[in-house]
Amino acid sequence: MSVHADQLLPNQQLPNQQLLERVTEISRLAGHAIMEIYQQGIEVTHKADNSPLTQADLASHQIICSALEQLTPGLPCLSEESVAIDYATRSAWREYWLIDPLDGTKEFIKRNGEFTVNIALIRDHEPVLGVVHIPVSGESFSGGRNLGARRVNQRGEVTAIQVRKPSADPLVVVGSRSHPNPALELYLAQLGKHELISMGSSLKFCVVAEGKADFYPRLGPTSEWDTAAAHAVVVAAGGSVVKLDGQPLQYNLKDSLLNPDFLVIADNSRDYISIFSNYPS
């Protein structure tokens, strides 16, 4: 199902389920724009921190922020491609949109298909609604507080998803394709027999949410826009996203937008915290 931006009529009082559906359509619009650039060829520039930036990042950013402004007028929008917003301003926000217009830019440049569009609604430091759209496949993962989680294919067919409980034997662990971490292997060995699979972007959260993986430890730098949307999906699917001390990962609590190390857990009855609590951050 396709939608045009002018069909996304503003309504700040939408019930959460309808809001989630509208946001899913916005992510699909952004995904279409990304794919047009993906198919034509990719021009890469670099930001001040030397991370890559493409026309697709910027096109997706413009589409999403414009559509969200129509959908929820006055609600702040914080995107990876936004002009920097200082913490003195952000700290006053109780509710806002947190966006990564193209998560996995390195995967986009490599043309391996493992990149996503991430849109999350943050309320009181927690992601209460999120959509992760995969432009190459046309699939979307979405979920929200009291809404459950689901996967929507490119034909609009909906499948409810949930994390796997109990965990598989052997355990299926997912890790980063572009940010391998040799030190992680020492800690994973303490889990016992397991299978490790690698992939890019927020897809790592999604395979946990849909019950295809059991655990995703992220022991390395990420930004808040990298994780928020998929975080919402995992929680809606019955999982958890916690810091190494076991406390929930939260957002917009400090000047830096970098996350601490965290764990994405499907089955909370397994004790991952004691293994990873001593990891040197």
Side-chain angles (χ1 to χ4, degrees), residues 5-109:
D6 57 6
Q7 293 177 285
L8 298 167
L9 301 176
N11 188 340
Q12 206 162 4
Q13 304 304 315
L14 282 175
N16 281 348
Q17 183 61 57
Q18 291 183 37
L19 188 61
L20 188 62
E21 291 169 1
R22 296 285 188 92
V23 173
T24 301
E25 288 303 322
I26 292 170
S27 74
R28 291 170 70 88
L29 281 174
H32 290 321
I34 288 170
M35 288 307 296
E36 287 181 5
I37 296 168
Y38 189 69
Q39 291 161 358
Q40 292 170 2
I42 304 167
E43 294 182 16
V44 182
T45 58
H46 289 83
K47 304 177 192 177
D49 63 359
N50 207 36
S51 58
L53 176 68
T54 71
Q55 291 173 300
D57 295 83
L58 298 174
S60 178
H61 165 82
Q62 295 275 2
I63 288 167
I64 295 169
C65 290
S66 176
L68 290 176
E69 176 57 31
Q70 293 181 53
L71 186 63
T72 53
L75 201 62
C77 181
L78 178 61
S79 165
E80 181 177 8
E81 311 311 334
S82 297
V83 174
I85 300 171
D86 62 56
Y87 183 61
T89 299
R90 287 189 285 111
S91 63
W93 296 351
R94 183 187 172 193
E95 186 174 35
Y96 67 99
W97 294 105
L98 181 56
I99 299 153
D100 192 342
L102 178 52
D103 181 34
T105 300
K106 291 180 180 178
E107 316 305 332
F108 179 81
I109 293 167

Side-chain angles (χ1 to χ4, degrees), residues 191-228:
L191 296 174
K193 189 175 180 181
H194 63 274
E195 175 188 358
L196 179 62
I197 57 176
S198 298
M199 63 181 59
S201 72
S202 54
L203 290 171
K204 296 182 287 294
F205 286 79
C206 296
V207 294
V208 174
E210 67 174 335
K212 292 183 177 179
D214 302 296
F215 181 51
Y216 165 37
R218 182 55 188 237
L219 309 175
T222 59
S223 295
E224 294 187 0
W225 46 66
D226 294 321
T227 59

